[in-house]
Amino acid sequence: MKIGLLGCGTVGTGVYEMIYNQKERIEELYEESVEISKILVKDNMKCRDIEDIDHLITIDPYEILDDSSIHLVVEVIGGVTEAYEYITYALNNGKHVVTANKAVVAKHMKEFLELAEKNRRAFLFEGSVGGGIPLLKPLKQCTLLNEFSEVRGILNGTSNFILTKMMQEDLEFKDALGIAQGLGYAEADPTDDIGGADVARKLAILATITFKNDVNLDEVSYRGIQQITKADIRFIKEMGYSVKLLGKAVVDNRAFSALVEPVLFKNTTQFEKVDNAFNMVSVKGNNLKELRFYGEGAGRKATANAVVCDILDVLSSAYGKDMVHRGRDIEAFGTKLIQGKYYIRITLTSGAEESLVKDAFRRRKVDFHKLKVEKELIMLTEKIGADMAEDIIKELERYNLSCFYCRIEAE
C-alpha cells in the first residue's frame, strides 16, 4: 500500500515516523508492504525534523491526488477549504482517506461518508476527536446495540492544561496561557482552544455518532474560559470544586441540546482528576448505562497513533460499511435541556450595581444564594436551564459588568 501524506507538521511528522519505525512489524502482521511515497508541504525549502525525505516532498497536491499508484491519502494539513477540496477529490478518484482534521469533519462528515460509500472506499477520522484515545470506532460499534441519551467530555488539551495550571499554581489566566504557549500546548493564536470552538467541533462529531443523527456544527452553542480570573479559582477551590471546559450533548425524546461551557466538578469525581492535556469522554445509554474513555488528548504521538490505527483498518479491510447513521429524526432545542446550578461572579464598581444584579435574577424568578467578597459578588443559583443563565448574563453585560459563570455538574 502506497500512502500520500498531505501535511508534514506535528501530526504528519508523527505519522511518518510511526509508519517508518513500525514498517517491518506492520508488514509481518498484514503480509503487505506499506510506505509513504509522497508528502505535500507548503514550503519545500523548510528544515524538517525528518531526515532523508527530500525525494518524497512535493508542493503540488495533485501529484498525490492524481497518482494512480497511491491507494490512500492521509490529510493532516488542517483548516477547511483546502482540506475539503483534497478529501472530496481523493474519494472521487478512488482513494481511501484518513484524516485527523476535526474542523473539516465537523462541517462535512455526511458528505464525506456518502462519497466514500458511493466510491466503495474508506473515510476514517479517529484522530479528529480525543487524540490517542480509541474512541470513535468503539462508539460506532456500541451504537448498534445501544440508544445513547448523553455524551460529555473534556475534549481540549490546551484549555485543560491552562485550567490545571491555574488550579494547581494559583496563576492568572494570561500567565497560564503563556506557559501553555511556551510548551507548545497552545498556538500563537489560541482563540479556538480557549474560546470553545475546538470543543464544539469535536462535540458535533461525537453527537452525530452517539445519537445516530446529523448534528450540525451551528447547532452546538459554545463559550470559553477567557473570563476566568485568579479570584474565581480561589472561590471555586474554597467550595471544593475544580473547573473544566466541558462539551455536553443530551437527547430527550426527539429534542437535543449541545453546549460547550466551563463546568465545576466536585473534587471527589473522576472528571475533576483529568489534568493537563488529557481528555475524557463519557456516554450514557440504555444497555451500557455509562461508558468512559480516558487518555492523552493531544500531541504528535497520540494523534499519529490514531491516524495509523485507521490506516491499519484500511490495510486489513476492517472498516466495512460506515456505521454512522446519516438521517435526522431529532431536532435542536437550543440549550434548554442542559440544566444545573450556576456559579456566577460579577465584579462590581459601585454599590448601585448590586441592586441591578439582584433585579435581573428576581425578574426571572431565579432563587440564589449570595456571597460578597470585597468587590466580587458571587451568586449561586438554583437549578436552571443553560438558556436562562445565558439570558441573565446578557442583561448583566448590558450594564458593562465583568462576569464569569459556569455550571455545577452533578456527577
Side-chain angles (χ1 to χ4, degrees), residues 106 203-204 207-208 211 213-217 219-220 256 258 328 330:
L203 184 61
T208 294
F211 300 150
N213 270 266
D214 297 323
V215 174
N216 299 320
L217 184 57
E219 293 170 328
V220 181
F256 78 91
R328 175 80 167 195
I330 59 175

Side-chain angles (χ1 to χ4, degrees), residues 115-347:
L115 270 179
E117 188 173 323
K118 175 184 174 183
N119 292 289
R120 298 182 180 180
R121 291 296 179 266
F123 174 70
L124 301 176
F125 46 97
E126 184 69 59
S128 65
V129 183
I133 306 172
L135 175 60
L136 302 187
K137 184 178 179 181
L139 269 183
K140 291 176 187 178
Q141 293 172 330
C142 289
T143 58
L144 297 175
L145 301 174
N146 286 267
E147 295 297 325
F148 289 105
S149 58
E150 176 186 291
V151 56
R152 58 180 177 155
I154 297 170
L155 296 165
N156 182 267
T158 300
S159 60
N160 204 52
F161 178 87
I162 290 169
L163 293 173
T164 300
K165 282 293 179 185
M166 292 183 74
M167 291 291 299
Q168 294 180 354
E169 300 182 23
D170 199 28
L171 299 176
E172 288 287 5
F173 176 81
K174 63 180 178 60
D175 297 324
L177 172 59
I179 293 172
Q181 288 173 321
L183 293 173
Y185 286 114
E187 302 287 345
D189 179 3
T191 305
D192 283 357
D193 292 321
I194 64 176
D198 178 77
V199 179
R201 293 167 188 142
K202 294 171 181 175
L203 184 61
I205 295 168
L206 282 175
T208 294
I209 293 170
T210 305
F211 300 150
K212 296 180 281 191
N213 270 266
D214 297 323
V215 174
N216 299 320
L217 184 57
D218 59 9
E219 293 170 328
V220 181
S221 299
Y222 66 90
R223 57 191 179 85
I225 60 173
Q226 304 96 314
Q227 280 75 41
I228 193 168
T229 66
K230 187 176 176 179
D232 288 314
I233 295 296
R234 185 172 71 250
F235 300 143
I236 289 166
K237 289 169 75 171
E238 287 174 356
M239 292 189 298
Y241 290 95
S242 286
V243 60
K244 305 290 181 183
L245 184 63
L246 187 81
K248 183 173 183 177
V250 297
V251 166
D252 185 6
N253 293 320
R254 296 184 65 250
F256 78 91
S257 292
L259 175 63
V260 178
E261 64 178 339
V263 166
L264 300 188
F265 288 96
K266 272 287 187 186
N267 289 343
T268 54
T269 62
Q270 200 171 357
F271 270 93
E272 186 273 338
K273 302 184 189 309
V274 180
D275 287 337
N276 298 315
F278 281 78
N279 286 187
M280 188 160 81
V281 173
S282 160
V283 292
K284 292 183 179 179
N286 57 338
N287 292 324
L288 286 172
K289 302 304 180 186
E290 185 173 16
L291 183 63
R292 291 184 177 183
F293 302 84
Y294 171 82
E296 194 171 0
R300 174 185 293 187
K301 291 184 178 180
T303 308
N305 186 81
V307 170
V308 174
C309 283
D310 278 346
I311 292 171
L312 296 182
D313 277 350
V314 175
L315 190 65
S316 61
S317 300
Y319 55 91
K321 182 180 173 66
D322 198 282
M323 292 172 279
V324 178
H325 178 74
R326 295 187 289 282
R328 175 80 167 195
D329 55 18
I330 59 175
E331 294 300 325
F333 205 56
T335 58
K336 295 179 182 179
L337 300 179
I338 310 289
Q339 297 193 338
K341 297 179 180 180
Y342 271 83
Y343 163 98
I344 303 176
R345 183 266 304 154
I346 306 104
T347 302

